[in-house]
Amino acid sequence: MYLLKRNISSTLGLIILYIHITDTRSSVINDLALGFTRLPFNKSYYINHKPYNLPLEERYSFINGVHKLWVFSTDEPLSRGSPTLPRSELFINGYIYSTGVWQFEAHVFVPNGTTGVSLMQVFGGYPHVTNTTLMVRVYDGNLYYYKYEVISSDIYDKWFRLNVIHDVEGDKVTVYINGVLMFEGHGRGGAMHYFKCGVYAQDQDSYYMESRWKHIKIYKKSK
């Protein structure tokens, strides 16, 4: 009888602990929006960057709320004569900022095989060859801060939530995956900034690159 009671108590304890952990994880995910104001976001707040010689529908689709962007390593750049590599990106030109704390949120899917590519950028920064404050790249199924530090592993063929917070005056950028802080670093200066997402070829890029995006949200820190 004593052992039975002890086993029941242990089981109840594990259940309570599991519920507590689950609630804690949920609160971490929800807390990312606290203190921020969600801003409008629709087609009027972004434009597509793509190979200059191709129609949009050959490198982008928007079906059932999912933005699908793809590019080939042999594609032309954004503009004729540009030294940049191929891309298919959403340039969120509706929110160009130079001060404040801004947050980008989206659910992202990267198919197996896509590598050597930037998924998301905080544009604007110096001195740096990419003129960016942040690049979230994919190499061999792992997310990287540029190509220097792993942010998250094993991201192929699954949806995950990406949150990027940029504090301009605080000179700080943070990256969360599924609500968990995975990277924290310094800004890179720059006079203006904006967000981009999609696929932008980098070094060691695969022949075919693709990413999918849904539930894109833009936030600004409330004063």
Side-chain angles (χ1 to χ4, degrees):
M1 180 64 71
Y2 171 75
L3 289 174
L4 178 60
K5 289 181 178 179
R6 186 176 180 181
N7 289 336
I8 292 173
S9 298
S10 299
T11 301
L12 288 174
L14 288 173
I15 292 172
I16 293 170
L17 178 61
Y18 172 78
I19 293 171
H20 172 72
I21 291 172
T22 303
D23 288 344
T24 302
R25 288 174 177 171
S26 297
S27 66
V28 170
I29 292 173
N30 293 332
D31 283 347
L32 289 177
L34 290 179
F36 285 84
T37 299
R38 183 177 172 182
L39 304 175
F41 183 77
N42 53 49
K43 183 62 179 73
S44 64
Y45 289 91
Y46 67 87
I47 60 176
N48 288 81
H49 280 176
K50 61 173 183 63
Y52 75 87
N53 61 329
L54 295 176
L56 180 60
E57 61 269 18
E58 290 192 19
R59 293 296 180 268
Y60 169 80
S61 68
F62 182 62
I63 301 172
N64 295 328
V66 176
H67 303 266
K68 179 181 175 181
L69 303 103
W70 66 96
V71 76
F72 294 88
S73 62
T74 52
D75 281 344
E76 295 293 329
L78 173 66
S79 58
R80 187 186 299 272
S82 170
T84 60
L85 294 171
R87 73 184 78 194
S88 178
E89 296 180 296
L90 302 184
F91 163 29
I92 303 177
N93 63 330
Y95 296 111
I96 296 176
Y97 61 94
S98 57
T99 61
V101 183
W102 293 74
Q103 181 174 178
F104 171 93
E105 176 182 311
H107 288 76
V108 192
F109 183 96
V110 182
N112 195 336
T114 291
T115 190
V117 63
S118 172
L119 293 180
M120 188 270 172
Q121 303 179 54
V122 177
F123 192 85
Y126 61 84
H128 197 264
V129 66
T130 63
N131 297 317
T132 58
T133 285
L134 172 75
M135 270 191 173
V136 177
R137 299 185 187 179
V138 175
Y139 290 101
D140 299 323
N142 301 318
L143 287 183
Y144 278 78
Y145 169 70
Y146 294 95
K147 57 180 179 181
Y148 310 121
E149 182 177 340
V150 175
I151 296 173
S152 185
S153 302
D154 188 26
I155 57 90
Y156 280 152
D157 295 333
K158 65 184 73 171
W159 286 99
F160 61 91
R161 189 172 67 135
L162 171 68
N163 290 75
V164 172
I165 300 176
H166 181 205
D167 182 346
V168 179
E169 286 84 3
D171 189 37
K172 182 179 178 181
V173 62
T174 50
V175 178
Y176 294 79
I177 302 298
N178 295 327
V180 178
L181 177 62
M182 302 298 288
F183 174 81
E184 186 171 1
H186 293 293
R188 293 177 177 267
M192 69 173 188
H193 305 279
Y194 49 82
F195 301 125
K196 300 185 79 177
C197 64
V199 282
Y200 177 25
Q202 301 298 307
D203 58 306
Q204 302 172 24
D205 51 323
S206 51
Y207 175 65
Y208 177 77
M209 293 157 273
E210 177 192 322
S211 66
R212 305 170 203 169
W213 302 77
K214 63 182 180 180
H215 308 317
I216 297 175
K217 300 174 185 175
I218 307 296
Y219 297 93
K220 185 179 181 183
K221 191 80 170 182
S222 306
K223 294 184 177 179

mmCIF file of all heavy atoms in Angstrom, residues 186-223:
data_model
loop_
_atom_site.group_PDB
_atom_site.id
_atom_site.type_symbol
_atom_site.label_atom_id
_atom_site.label_comp_id
_atom_site.label_asym_id
_atom_site.label_seq_id
_atom_site.Cartn_x
_atom_site.Cartn_y
_atom_site.Cartn_z
ATOM 1 N N HIS A 186 25.695 42.251 -31.024
ATOM 2 C CA HIS A 186 25.725 43.697 -31.210
ATOM 3 C C HIS A 186 25.183 44.066 -32.583
ATOM 4 O O HIS A 186 25.215 43.276 -33.525
ATOM 5 C CB HIS A 186 27.156 44.224 -31.076
ATOM 6 C CG HIS A 186 27.718 44.091 -29.699
ATOM 7 N ND1 HIS A 186 27.223 44.805 -28.616
ATOM 8 C CD2 HIS A 186 28.728 43.325 -29.203
ATOM 9 C CE1 HIS A 186 27.903 44.486 -27.534
ATOM 10 N NE2 HIS A 186 28.816 43.590 -27.861
ATOM 11 N N GLY A 187 24.701 45.311 -32.697
ATOM 12 C CA GLY A 187 24.319 45.853 -33.986
ATOM 13 C C GLY A 187 25.558 46.188 -34.803
ATOM 14 O O GLY A 187 26.696 45.999 -34.353
ATOM 15 N N ARG A 188 25.331 46.708 -36.002
ATOM 16 C CA ARG A 188 26.449 47.062 -36.888
ATOM 17 C C ARG A 188 26.323 48.492 -37.400
ATOM 18 O O ARG A 188 26.806 48.817 -38.481
ATOM 19 C CB ARG A 188 26.515 46.069 -38.061
ATOM 20 C CG ARG A 188 26.897 44.656 -37.667
ATOM 21 C CD ARG A 188 26.869 43.727 -38.873
ATOM 22 N NE ARG A 188 27.303 42.384 -38.526
ATOM 23 C CZ ARG A 188 28.551 41.939 -38.634
ATOM 24 N NH1 ARG A 188 29.501 42.765 -39.064
ATOM 25 N NH2 ARG A 188 28.864 40.709 -38.324
ATOM 26 N N GLY A 189 25.663 49.347 -36.614
ATOM 27 C CA GLY A 189 25.535 50.727 -37.043
ATOM 28 C C GLY A 189 24.592 50.868 -38.221
ATOM 29 O O GLY A 189 23.703 50.050 -38.438
ATOM 30 N N GLY A 190 24.794 51.909 -39.001
ATOM 31 C CA GLY A 190 23.949 52.148 -40.166
ATOM 32 C C GLY A 190 22.928 53.242 -39.907
ATOM 33 O O GLY A 190 22.452 53.415 -38.786
ATOM 34 N N ALA A 191 22.584 53.982 -40.956
ATOM 35 C CA ALA A 191 21.679 55.124 -40.824
ATOM 36 C C ALA A 191 20.213 54.741 -40.973
ATOM 37 O O ALA A 191 19.330 55.436 -40.463
ATOM 38 C CB ALA A 191 22.043 56.187 -41.864
ATOM 39 N N MET A 192 19.934 53.642 -41.678
ATOM 40 C CA MET A 192 18.549 53.200 -41.830
ATOM 41 C C MET A 192 18.506 51.678 -41.918
ATOM 42 O O MET A 192 19.488 51.043 -42.304
ATOM 43 C CB MET A 192 17.899 53.823 -43.064
ATOM 44 C CG MET A 192 18.450 53.326 -44.381
ATOM 45 S SD MET A 192 17.491 53.943 -45.785
ATOM 46 C CE MET A 192 18.211 53.007 -47.130
ATOM 47 N N HIS A 193 17.361 51.129 -41.560
ATOM 48 C CA HIS A 193 17.220 49.673 -41.494
ATOM 49 C C HIS A 193 15.849 49.245 -42.011
ATOM 50 O O HIS A 193 14.882 50.008 -41.982
ATOM 51 C CB HIS A 193 17.382 49.185 -40.048
ATOM 52 C CG HIS A 193 18.656 49.620 -39.407
ATOM 53 N ND1 HIS A 193 19.854 48.975 -39.607
ATOM 54 C CD2 HIS A 193 18.933 50.663 -38.579
ATOM 55 C CE1 HIS A 193 20.805 49.573 -38.922
ATOM 56 N NE2 HIS A 193 20.281 50.606 -38.292
ATOM 57 N N TYR A 194 15.793 48.003 -42.462
ATOM 58 C CA TYR A 194 14.519 47.383 -42.807
ATOM 59 C C TYR A 194 14.718 45.871 -42.827
ATOM 60 O O TYR A 194 15.845 45.376 -42.804
ATOM 61 C CB TYR A 194 13.983 47.884 -44.155
ATOM 62 C CG TYR A 194 14.972 47.863 -45.295
ATOM 63 C CD1 TYR A 194 15.235 46.695 -46.021
ATOM 64 C CD2 TYR A 194 15.627 49.031 -45.682
ATOM 65 C CE1 TYR A 194 16.125 46.680 -47.081
ATOM 66 C CE2 TYR A 194 16.523 49.031 -46.747
ATOM 67 C CZ TYR A 194 16.770 47.858 -47.439
ATOM 68 O OH TYR A 194 17.657 47.846 -48.484
ATOM 69 N N PHE A 195 13.594 45.149 -42.849
ATOM 70 C CA PHE A 195 13.616 43.687 -42.834
ATOM 71 C C PHE A 195 13.451 43.136 -44.249
ATOM 72 O O PHE A 195 12.739 43.709 -45.074
ATOM 73 C CB PHE A 195 12.503 43.128 -41.954
ATOM 74 C CG PHE A 195 12.556 43.563 -40.517
ATOM 75 C CD1 PHE A 195 11.460 44.174 -39.916
ATOM 76 C CD2 PHE A 195 13.699 43.351 -39.760
ATOM 77 C CE1 PHE A 195 11.495 44.564 -38.591
ATOM 78 C CE2 PHE A 195 13.754 43.749 -38.428
ATOM 79 C CZ PHE A 195 12.644 44.355 -37.837
ATOM 80 N N LYS A 196 14.108 41.989 -44.501
ATOM 81 C CA LYS A 196 13.928 41.243 -45.736
ATOM 82 C C LYS A 196 13.843 39.759 -45.389
ATOM 83 O O LYS A 196 14.465 39.311 -44.417
ATOM 84 C CB LYS A 196 15.093 41.472 -46.697
ATOM 85 C CG LYS A 196 15.305 42.915 -47.106
ATOM 86 C CD LYS A 196 16.399 43.048 -48.152
ATOM 87 C CE LYS A 196 15.886 42.687 -49.524
ATOM 88 N NZ LYS A 196 16.908 42.885 -50.581
ATOM 89 N N CYS A 197 13.089 39.005 -46.177
ATOM 90 C CA CYS A 197 13.028 37.557 -45.977
ATOM 91 C C CYS A 197 12.799 36.862 -47.304
ATOM 92 O O CYS A 197 12.255 37.447 -48.250
ATOM 93 C CB CYS A 197 11.938 37.181 -44.970
ATOM 94 S SG CYS A 197 10.251 37.585 -45.481
ATOM 95 N N GLY A 198 13.225 35.622 -47.382
ATOM 96 C CA GLY A 198 13.099 34.846 -48.611
ATOM 97 C C GLY A 198 14.319 33.982 -48.813
ATOM 98 O O GLY A 198 14.729 33.255 -47.895
ATOM 99 N N VAL A 199 14.932 34.055 -49.991
ATOM 100 C CA VAL A 199 16.186 33.351 -50.274
ATOM 101 C C VAL A 199 17.114 34.292 -51.047
ATOM 102 O O VAL A 199 16.717 34.874 -52.058
ATOM 103 C CB VAL A 199 15.971 32.044 -51.066
ATOM 104 C CG1 VAL A 199 15.471 30.931 -50.157
ATOM 105 C CG2 VAL A 199 15.005 32.226 -52.234
ATOM 106 N N TYR A 200 18.337 34.420 -50.546
ATOM 107 C CA TYR A 200 19.357 35.260 -51.167
ATOM 108 C C TYR A 200 20.660 34.469 -51.121
ATOM 109 O O TYR A 200 21.213 34.228 -50.057
ATOM 110 C CB TYR A 200 19.465 36.582 -50.406
ATOM 111 C CG TYR A 200 20.543 37.525 -50.896
ATOM 112 C CD1 TYR A 200 21.026 37.492 -52.202
ATOM 113 C CD2 TYR A 200 21.070 38.483 -50.039
ATOM 114 C CE1 TYR A 200 21.998 38.373 -52.633
ATOM 115 C CE2 TYR A 200 22.050 39.378 -50.456
ATOM 116 C CZ TYR A 200 22.505 39.318 -51.757
ATOM 117 O OH TYR A 200 23.478 40.192 -52.179
ATOM 118 N N ALA A 201 21.129 34.045 -52.292
ATOM 119 C CA ALA A 201 22.291 33.162 -52.378
ATOM 120 C C ALA A 201 23.525 33.780 -51.728
ATOM 121 O O ALA A 201 23.780 34.981 -51.847
ATOM 122 C CB ALA A 201 22.584 32.837 -53.839
ATOM 123 N N GLN A 202 24.289 32.936 -51.012
ATOM 124 C CA GLN A 202 25.539 33.340 -50.385
ATOM 125 C C GLN A 202 26.638 32.391 -50.872
ATOM 126 O O GLN A 202 26.539 31.830 -51.946
ATOM 127 C CB GLN A 202 25.389 33.318 -48.859
ATOM 128 C CG GLN A 202 24.293 34.232 -48.328
ATOM 129 C CD GLN A 202 24.535 35.696 -48.630
ATOM 130 O OE1 GLN A 202 25.596 36.241 -48.330
ATOM 131 N NE2 GLN A 202 23.557 36.360 -49.228
ATOM 132 N N ASP A 203 27.662 32.202 -50.097
ATOM 133 C CA ASP A 203 28.730 31.285 -50.482
ATOM 134 C C ASP A 203 28.262 29.838 -50.341
ATOM 135 O O ASP A 203 27.418 29.533 -49.503
ATOM 136 C CB ASP A 203 29.983 31.521 -49.625
ATOM 137 C CG ASP A 203 29.697 31.360 -48.152
ATOM 138 O OD1 ASP A 203 28.757 32.028 -47.653
ATOM 139 O OD2 ASP A 203 30.382 30.569 -47.481
ATOM 140 N N GLN A 204 28.806 28.953 -51.161
ATOM 141 C CA GLN A 204 28.496 27.521 -51.120
ATOM 142 C C GLN A 204 26.994 27.261 -51.292
ATOM 143 O O GLN A 204 26.416 26.375 -50.656
ATOM 144 C CB GLN A 204 28.998 26.903 -49.811
ATOM 145 C CG GLN A 204 30.489 27.080 -49.580
ATOM 146 C CD GLN A 204 30.938 26.632 -48.202
ATOM 147 O OE1 GLN A 204 30.287 25.806 -47.560
ATOM 148 N NE2 GLN A 204 32.047 27.174 -47.744
ATOM 149 N N ASP A 205 26.353 28.036 -52.146
ATOM 150 C CA ASP A 205 24.910 27.919 -52.317
ATOM 151 C C ASP A 205 24.556 26.683 -53.143
ATOM 152 O O ASP A 205 25.295 26.254 -54.021
ATOM 153 C CB ASP A 205 24.347 29.176 -52.989
ATOM 154 C CG ASP A 205 25.100 29.559 -54.255
ATOM 155 O OD1 ASP A 205 26.335 29.399 -54.285
ATOM 156 O OD2 ASP A 205 24.454 30.006 -55.221
ATOM 157 N N SER A 206 23.415 26.116 -52.822
ATOM 158 C CA SER A 206 22.892 24.983 -53.575
ATOM 159 C C SER A 206 22.342 25.476 -54.917
ATOM 160 O O SER A 206 22.076 26.673 -55.095
ATOM 161 C CB SER A 206 21.792 24.271 -52.781
ATOM 162 O OG SER A 206 20.816 25.193 -52.323
ATOM 163 N N TYR A 207 22.155 24.536 -55.841
ATOM 164 C CA TYR A 207 21.624 24.911 -57.160
ATOM 165 C C TYR A 207 20.216 25.480 -57.042
ATOM 166 O O TYR A 207 19.876 26.473 -57.692
ATOM 167 C CB TYR A 207 21.632 23.693 -58.084
ATOM 168 C CG TYR A 207 20.996 23.958 -59.432
ATOM 169 C CD1 TYR A 207 21.559 24.870 -60.328
ATOM 170 C CD2 TYR A 207 19.826 23.292 -59.807
ATOM 171 C CE1 TYR A 207 20.973 25.120 -61.558
ATOM 172 C CE2 TYR A 207 19.235 23.542 -61.032
ATOM 173 C CZ TYR A 207 19.810 24.457 -61.895
ATOM 174 O OH TYR A 207 19.223 24.708 -63.112
ATOM 175 N N TYR A 208 19.386 24.857 -56.174
ATOM 176 C CA TYR A 208 18.014 25.310 -55.948
ATOM 177 C C TYR A 208 17.873 25.735 -54.495
ATOM 178 O O TYR A 208 18.297 25.014 -53.585
ATOM 179 C CB TYR A 208 17.024 24.200 -56.272
ATOM 180 C CG TYR A 208 15.582 24.548 -55.991
ATOM 181 C CD1 TYR A 208 14.874 25.377 -56.850
ATOM 182 C CD2 TYR A 208 14.940 24.054 -54.862
ATOM 183 C CE1 TYR A 208 13.542 25.696 -56.599
ATOM 184 C CE2 TYR A 208 13.612 24.366 -54.595
ATOM 185 C CZ TYR A 208 12.918 25.192 -55.464
ATOM 186 O OH TYR A 208 11.608 25.512 -55.210
ATOM 187 N N MET A 209 17.274 26.902 -54.276
ATOM 188 C CA MET A 209 17.067 27.431 -52.925
ATOM 189 C C MET A 209 15.610 27.852 -52.768
ATOM 190 O O MET A 209 15.054 28.502 -53.661
ATOM 191 C CB MET A 209 17.985 28.644 -52.691
ATOM 192 C CG MET A 209 19.472 28.308 -52.646
ATOM 193 S SD MET A 209 20.524 29.732 -53.045
ATOM 194 C CE MET A 209 20.574 29.600 -54.850
ATOM 195 N N GLU A 210 15.020 27.483 -51.642
ATOM 196 C CA GLU A 210 13.602 27.792 -51.417
ATOM 197 C C GLU A 210 13.340 28.019 -49.934
ATOM 198 O O GLU A 210 13.932 27.375 -49.075
ATOM 199 C CB GLU A 210 12.727 26.628 -51.904
ATOM 200 C CG GLU A 210 11.241 26.806 -51.644
ATOM 201 C CD GLU A 210 10.442 25.527 -51.868
ATOM 202 O OE1 GLU A 210 10.771 24.772 -52.823
ATOM 203 O OE2 GLU A 210 9.509 25.265 -51.080
ATOM 204 N N SER A 211 12.423 28.929 -49.644
ATOM 205 C CA SER A 211 11.885 29.062 -48.293
ATOM 206 C C SER A 211 10.425 29.481 -48.386
ATOM 207 O O SER A 211 9.993 30.063 -49.388
ATOM 208 C CB SER A 211 12.683 30.075 -47.458
ATOM 209 O OG SER A 211 12.547 31.385 -47.978
ATOM 210 N N ARG A 212 9.669 29.153 -47.333
ATOM 211 C CA ARG A 212 8.246 29.488 -47.272
ATOM 212 C C ARG A 212 7.995 30.254 -45.981
ATOM 213 O O ARG A 212 8.580 29.949 -44.935
ATOM 214 C CB ARG A 212 7.385 28.225 -47.328
ATOM 215 C CG ARG A 212 7.667 27.359 -48.538
ATOM 216 C CD ARG A 212 6.997 26.002 -48.452
ATOM 217 N NE ARG A 212 7.683 25.027 -49.295
ATOM 218 C CZ ARG A 212 7.449 23.716 -49.272
ATOM 219 N NH1 ARG A 212 6.534 23.220 -48.434
ATOM 220 N NH2 ARG A 212 8.131 22.908 -50.070
ATOM 221 N N TRP A 213 7.058 31.212 -46.059
ATOM 222 C CA TRP A 213 6.810 32.118 -44.937
ATOM 223 C C TRP A 213 5.309 32.326 -44.748
ATOM 224 O O TRP A 213 4.569 32.493 -45.720
ATOM 225 C CB TRP A 213 7.472 33.471 -45.197
ATOM 226 C CG TRP A 213 8.947 33.348 -45.420
ATOM 227 C CD1 TRP A 213 9.578 32.912 -46.554
ATOM 228 C CD2 TRP A 213 9.973 33.654 -44.477
ATOM 229 N NE1 TRP A 213 10.935 32.922 -46.376
ATOM 230 C CE2 TRP A 213 11.212 33.377 -45.112
ATOM 231 C CE3 TRP A 213 9.983 34.146 -43.175
ATOM 232 C CZ2 TRP A 213 12.435 33.562 -44.478
ATOM 233 C CZ3 TRP A 213 11.194 34.334 -42.542
ATOM 234 C CH2 TRP A 213 12.397 34.053 -43.192
ATOM 235 N N LYS A 214 4.882 32.316 -43.485
ATOM 236 C CA LYS A 214 3.489 32.628 -43.176
ATOM 237 C C LYS A 214 3.424 33.352 -41.825
ATOM 238 O O LYS A 214 4.383 33.335 -41.053
ATOM 239 C CB LYS A 214 2.627 31.358 -43.155
ATOM 240 C CG LYS A 214 2.991 30.341 -42.083
ATOM 241 C CD LYS A 214 2.098 29.101 -42.199
ATOM 242 C CE LYS A 214 2.461 28.080 -41.112
ATOM 243 N NZ LYS A 214 1.608 26.864 -41.212
ATOM 244 N N HIS A 215 2.283 33.981 -41.580
ATOM 245 C CA HIS A 215 2.050 34.708 -40.324
ATOM 246 C C HIS A 215 3.142 35.753 -40.075
ATOM 247 O O HIS A 215 3.642 35.889 -38.954
ATOM 248 C CB HIS A 215 1.962 33.747 -39.144
ATOM 249 C CG HIS A 215 0.995 32.620 -39.322
ATOM 250 N ND1 HIS A 215 -0.261 32.802 -39.854
ATOM 251 C CD2 HIS A 215 1.108 31.286 -39.058
ATOM 252 C CE1 HIS A 215 -0.896 31.636 -39.901
ATOM 253 N NE2 HIS A 215 -0.087 30.704 -39.436
ATOM 254 N N ILE A 216 3.516 36.484 -41.120
ATOM 255 C CA ILE A 216 4.520 37.533 -40.951
ATOM 256 C C ILE A 216 3.915 38.684 -40.156
ATOM 257 O O ILE A 216 2.816 39.167 -40.473
ATOM 258 C CB ILE A 216 5.024 38.034 -42.319
ATOM 259 C CG1 ILE A 216 5.715 36.896 -43.080
ATOM 260 C CG2 ILE A 216 5.977 39.215 -42.142
ATOM 261 C CD1 ILE A 216 6.138 37.271 -44.500
ATOM 262 N N LYS A 217 4.636 39.120 -39.138
ATOM 263 C CA LYS A 217 4.179 40.224 -38.287
ATOM 264 C C LYS A 217 5.336 41.182 -38.026
ATOM 265 O O LYS A 217 6.479 40.749 -37.885
ATOM 266 C CB LYS A 217 3.656 39.692 -36.944
ATOM 267 C CG LYS A 217 2.474 38.739 -37.066
ATOM 268 C CD LYS A 217 2.112 38.143 -35.722
ATOM 269 C CE LYS A 217 1.016 37.086 -35.855
ATOM 270 N NZ LYS A 217 0.729 36.417 -34.559
ATOM 271 N N ILE A 218 5.009 42.457 -37.960
ATOM 272 C CA ILE A 218 5.979 43.492 -37.641
ATOM 273 C C ILE A 218 5.510 44.213 -36.377
ATOM 274 O O ILE A 218 4.339 44.598 -36.279
ATOM 275 C CB ILE A 218 6.136 44.513 -38.788
ATOM 276 C CG1 ILE A 218 6.427 43.801 -40.108
ATOM 277 C CG2 ILE A 218 7.227 45.529 -38.441
ATOM 278 C CD1 ILE A 218 7.740 43.047 -40.143
ATOM 279 N N TYR A 219 6.444 44.382 -35.442
ATOM 280 C CA TYR A 219 6.129 45.069 -34.185
ATOM 281 C C TYR A 219 7.102 46.218 -33.958
ATOM 282 O O TYR A 219 8.254 46.180 -34.414
ATOM 283 C CB TYR A 219 6.285 44.114 -32.990
ATOM 284 C CG TYR A 219 5.374 42.917 -32.965
ATOM 285 C CD1 TYR A 219 5.772 41.709 -33.511
ATOM 286 C CD2 TYR A 219 4.123 42.990 -32.353
ATOM 287 C CE1 TYR A 219 4.955 40.591 -33.465
ATOM 288 C CE2 TYR A 219 3.290 41.874 -32.303
ATOM 289 C CZ TYR A 219 3.726 40.678 -32.851
ATOM 290 O OH TYR A 219 2.924 39.574 -32.784
ATOM 291 N N LYS A 220 6.645 47.208 -33.221
ATOM 292 C CA LYS A 220 7.512 48.278 -32.737
ATOM 293 C C LYS A 220 7.313 48.439 -31.251
ATOM 294 O O LYS A 220 6.179 48.363 -30.757
ATOM 295 C CB LYS A 220 7.220 49.595 -33.455
ATOM 296 C CG LYS A 220 8.181 50.712 -33.065
ATOM 297 C CD LYS A 220 7.884 52.016 -33.807
ATOM 298 C CE LYS A 220 8.875 53.098 -33.406
ATOM 299 N NZ LYS A 220 8.558 54.388 -34.073
ATOM 300 N N LYS A 221 8.417 48.654 -30.536
ATOM 301 C CA LYS A 221 8.348 48.799 -29.092
ATOM 302 C C LYS A 221 7.501 50.006 -28.708
ATOM 303 O O LYS A 221 7.676 51.108 -29.246
ATOM 304 C CB LYS A 221 9.764 48.981 -28.519
ATOM 305 C CG LYS A 221 9.852 48.889 -27.005
ATOM 306 C CD LYS A 221 9.861 47.445 -26.550
ATOM 307 C CE LYS A 221 10.196 47.308 -25.083
ATOM 308 N NZ LYS A 221 10.253 45.905 -24.646
ATOM 309 N N SER A 222 6.560 49.796 -27.793
ATOM 310 C CA SER A 222 5.698 50.871 -27.333
ATOM 311 C C SER A 222 6.472 51.789 -26.395
ATOM 312 O O SER A 222 7.301 51.343 -25.604
ATOM 313 C CB SER A 222 4.476 50.302 -26.615
ATOM 314 O OG SER A 222 3.808 49.359 -27.428
ATOM 315 N N LYS A 223 6.215 53.077 -26.486
ATOM 316 C CA LYS A 223 6.909 54.039 -25.611
ATOM 317 C C LYS A 223 6.149 54.194 -24.299
ATOM 318 O O LYS A 223 4.964 53.998 -24.222
ATOM 319 C CB LYS A 223 7.036 55.389 -26.308
ATOM 320 C CG LYS A 223 7.942 55.324 -27.533
ATOM 321 C CD LYS A 223 8.139 56.692 -28.146
ATOM 322 C CE LYS A 223 9.090 56.642 -29.327
ATOM 323 N NZ LYS A 223 9.274 57.977 -29.944
#
